Amino acid sequence: MLGILKDAGSSTDNALARRWQWAISLWKNQGLDSDGADAAAGSDDERIAARVMRVYEQRLAAFQAVDFDDLIGLPLKLLQRDDEARAKWQAMFGHVLVDEYQDTNRLQAGILHALKPTGEGVTVVGDDAQSIYGFRAAEVRNMLDFPAHFTPPARVLTLERNYRSTQPILDASNAVMALAPERFAKTLWTDKASSAQPRLVTVEDDAAQARWVAQQILARREEGMTLKRQAVLFRTSHHSATLELELTRRRIPFVKFGGLKFLEASHVKDVLALLRWADNPRCRLAGLRTALLVPGIGPAHARRLLDAMDAAGDPAAALRAYVPPAAAATDWQALATLWLALRQDAGTGWPGELQRIVDWYAPHLERLNDHPVPRLADLAQLVAIAGSHRSRERFLTELALDPPEAGSDTASDPLLDEDYLILSTIHSAKGQEWQAVYLLNVVDGCIPGDLGVGTPEEIEEERRLLYVAMTRARQHLDLMVPQRFYVTQQGRHGDRHLYGPRSRFIPDAMAADHFERISPRADGALPTAPPAGLLDLRARLRGQWD
């Protein structure tokens, strides 16, 4: 791939290669070749990617090779352009059955219509309300427009009976989808009656959310519901960061799907390694990982530095005396200056010193990784978590980062016969079900995500994501609504924050009709009723804001 980048006049970088590879795959699944991609390009980066795609196409043709995406695109071209081949394949199948049709892209729909242009013998099964893979080029319009593609129009059979969830959960889920401007109308029902409505749980902030969820998980386990029958879902992988630390602290084992555990992500390990090395200059593992982040320093040079620091009475003096390779001189000086400053602070500038590490690391993150933006969001979350600890020593101790993997040891992948909690992104949870589901951050900016509101189509896909998450629950469903999100890059005792409004997909009328609304105390316990005859003034005032 690097040779293709060079021939296309692009920078030869592994991260960039992965980025262009993803873009080319998406274009192919949208039915675009390099000429179409170039015509549709809206930025210089996309035009460069289109040039890379053109060279890539030429290389494939020269080697008479195809890639995975071509296995869909090329058969469609054959059916569209070769009358003999099309007639042969049309005669081969009397019936064509397609499952999960809402997840098909335009190429797959094109193959179906080429095989059965009249629709005779075609049956597709799908749920437009569960079309959530637009980032893979899936198009909900394939499902919505399917009946009108044929003459006469296809017959629509609605399957409304649900065998998974209780009726209150289905009522709330139906209400969410009822506000979609375009959909196949259906009302899910079940014979699983229940008096327990899904709950809208309003908490103070992310930390309170983590405490509440952990307490509810343990309470339900004490009632006989195993951890495996419970799941915590979230829109984006880093939304579970604070909860993962809370679960680790309480020694609740968990398995995470749809992303690395927070403490196992390489960029989080990199930042914590520098913090640990500054706190303990004798920690070779942390020192080696940090030194290797500097371009131009390899393992041999890094070990030479660490040997000198181990042998010296004053590790700081040994670090000052270290002469890096010429190619690493400038970058090394920035690291050395930061390390010495962190040693002098000795935790007194906490958590600002962690933010200084993130600021130093940001350019290296962009150099080492593709898609750095979500990784920077992880690091911002790490700084916010650090603010809840009174010192560097306390923070490192509670994370148990010696070695760094130890922070997740109690939450490492268990054996199959052990009990463990499920953490999952909503996308990875599709098709699954649990007795109890906790959905994190049901606020605007998270659901819908702040990057998913650019077009009406994107907003509607976010609505469907919420619907998919809610319908994973069989008996119990808690939708968490943190009120405050703290601003990063502020002092240790800073309290600057933003308020997160409840998701636009759950307006006030829906919340009143279909949810039980509760606000736990700061310690995570449910509020208790006041003695008979007394007026609960605080509850009444809070009710004015609810």
Side-chain angles (χ1 to χ4, degrees):
M1 190 66 182
L2 296 182
I4 293 173
L5 292 179
K6 182 177 180 181
D7 290 347
S10 172
S11 173
T12 55
D13 178 83
N14 283 320
L16 199 58
R18 289 190 294 271
R19 181 179 174 186
W20 295 156
Q21 190 173 14
W22 179 87
I24 291 169
S25 177
L26 180 63
W27 279 330
K28 285 191 172 188
N29 281 284
Q30 292 173 336
L32 298 176
D33 57 13
S34 56
D35 291 335
D38 187 53
S43 66
D44 290 341
D45 279 350
E46 290 181 346
R47 281 183 280 274
I48 294 173
R51 290 206 307 269
V52 173
M53 184 177 184
R54 183 171 290 108
V55 176
Y56 178 57
E57 290 172 340
Q58 293 168 353
R59 291 287 178 87
L60 287 175
F63 290 116
Q64 294 185 332
V66 298
D67 63 16
F68 185 79
D69 298 313
D70 291 330
L71 297 180
I72 299 176
L74 292 180
L76 176 58
K77 290 181 179 179
L78 178 66
L79 291 172
Q80 290 173 335
R81 300 174 183 177
D82 190 320
D83 295 340
E84 182 180 352
R86 183 171 62 252
K88 175 183 176 181
W89 283 92
Q90 287 176 348
M92 190 177 297
F93 303 105
H95 298 272
V96 177
L97 313 179
V98 184
D99 194 16
E100 301 289 354
Y101 193 66
Q102 77 281 348
D103 293 333
T104 57
N105 60 32
R106 67 179 64 176
L107 301 183
Q108 293 165 316
I111 291 174
L112 176 64
H113 293 126
L115 289 175
K116 292 292 182 181
T118 67
E120 183 178 357
V122 172
T123 300
V124 303
V125 179
D127 184 357
D128 58 297
Q130 297 193 51
S131 179
I132 59 173
Y133 295 119
F135 65 95
R136 295 180 184 168
E139 296 191 10
V140 69
R141 295 242 59 89
N142 287 349
M143 189 77 188
L144 294 175
D145 297 340
F146 180 81
H149 270 300
F150 307 102
T151 303
R155 183 184 177 193
V156 177
L157 301 177
T158 303
L159 307 178
E160 295 184 314
R161 184 173 183 180
N162 183 281
Y163 295 88
R164 173 186 296 148
S165 306
T166 63
Q167 192 60 52
I169 292 175
L170 294 180
D171 289 341
S173 303
N174 288 334
V176 167
M177 283 309 300
L179 298 180
E182 188 177 10
R183 65 190 180 94
F184 285 114
K186 61 182 181 295
T187 303
L188 300 181
W189 65 274
T190 183
D191 55 11
K192 295 183 177 180
S194 174
S195 60
Q197 288 185 306
R199 300 189 293 188
L200 273 176
V201 185
T202 302
V203 292
E204 182 179 4
D205 54 24
D206 195 37
Q209 174 178 250
R211 290 193 298 270
W212 162 264
V213 171
Q215 288 172 5
Q216 292 299 301
I217 289 167
L218 292 176
R220 285 184 170 137
R221 187 185 63 172
E222 291 301 313
E223 295 171 357
M225 185 182 295
T226 61
L227 295 179
K228 282 184 178 180
R229 298 169 71 191
Q230 305 181 62
V232 182
L233 306 184
F234 32 86
R235 172 65 179 85
T236 304
S237 181
H238 71 265
H239 288 175
S240 67
T242 304
L243 175 63
E244 290 179 44
L245 298 179
E246 182 70 15
L247 296 174
T248 299
R249 186 180 69 82
R250 294 175 183 251
R251 304 186 69 82
I252 300 175
F254 65 89
V255 173
K256 184 175 180 181
F257 297 93
L260 287 173
K261 295 173 184 175
F262 186 65
L263 294 178
E264 293 179 355
S266 62
H267 49 290
V268 175
K269 286 184 177 180
D270 289 343
V271 167
L272 292 177
L274 176 50
L275 186 67
R276 290 175 56 231
W277 191 31
D279 194 67
N280 177 13
R282 306 293 186 187
C283 182
R284 291 184 65 92
L285 286 176
L288 181 64
R289 185 181 189 102
T290 303
L292 292 177
L293 292 174
V294 178
I297 291 184
H301 284 283
R303 284 193 289 269
R304 190 175 303 127
L305 165 66
L306 297 174
D307 290 343
M309 294 177 69
D310 286 344
D314 181 4
L319 185 136
R320 291 191 190 93
Y322 173 70
V323 179
T330 302
D331 289 313
W332 169 256
Q333 187 57 51
L335 173 60
T337 301
L338 175 59
W339 189 91
L340 293 169
L342 293 173
R343 287 294 298 164
Q344 293 169 357
D345 284 347
T348 58
W350 185 258
E353 54 193 23
L354 184 58
Q355 183 60 56
R356 292 177 65 182
I357 293 175
V358 172
D359 293 340
W360 167 82
Y361 179 67
H364 298 287
L365 176 65
E366 294 179 0
R367 174 176 57 84
L368 296 169
N369 297 279
D370 54 343
H371 307 301
V373 174
R375 291 174 171 82
L376 285 173
D378 287 346
L379 299 181
Q381 181 71 24
L382 184 67
V383 174
I385 294 170
S388 63
H389 297 75
R390 62 175 178 264
S391 67
R392 174 204 297 172
E393 179 183 11
R394 183 71 174 176
F395 177 65
L396 291 174
T397 300
E398 292 199 5
L399 289 185
L401 292 174
D402 191 14
E405 290 82 0
S408 293
D409 275 354
T410 57
S412 58
D413 292 342
L415 299 176
L416 292 178
D417 59 346
E418 294 179 344
D419 195 18
Y420 51 86
L421 178 70
I422 301 297
L423 272 59
S424 176
T425 61
I426 300 173
H427 286 100
S428 296
K430 187 181 172 187
Q432 305 297 316
E433 60 183 62
W434 296 274
Q435 292 295 106
V437 168
Y438 312 86
L439 180 58
L440 304 184
N441 294 346
V442 186
V443 298
D444 264 25
C446 298
I447 303 176
D450 51 6
L451 298 179
V453 294
T455 65
E457 291 77 16
E458 289 175 335
I459 294 175
E460 290 310 308
E461 184 166 322
E462 295 288 313
R463 185 194 307 277
R464 297 191 292 269
L465 267 174
L466 175 59
Y467 173 85
V468 167
M470 293 173 63
T471 52
R472 300 310 94 198
R474 300 182 65 184
Q475 286 183 309
H476 305 284
L477 175 62
D478 288 355
L479 272 55
M480 306 301 300
V481 186
Q483 293 184 307
R484 295 195 293 184
F485 292 83
Y486 290 95
V487 176
T488 58
Q489 301 185 10
Q490 57 177 314
R492 174 182 176 184
H493 301 292
D495 190 42
R496 289 188 292 124
H497 56 268
L498 303 173
Y499 284 98
R502 185 177 65 236
S503 173
R504 69 187 72 181
F505 302 138
I506 305 178
D508 290 341
M510 184 190 302
D513 292 342
H514 296 291
F515 292 88
E516 177 187 357
R517 301 167 71 179
I518 60 176
S519 300
R521 300 197 313 251
D523 60 2
L526 286 172
T528 56
L534 295 181
L535 174 65
D536 189 347
L537 183 60
R538 181 174 64 176
R540 178 168 293 186
L541 289 173
R542 184 184 293 117
Q544 298 296 319
W545 290 100
D546 289 344

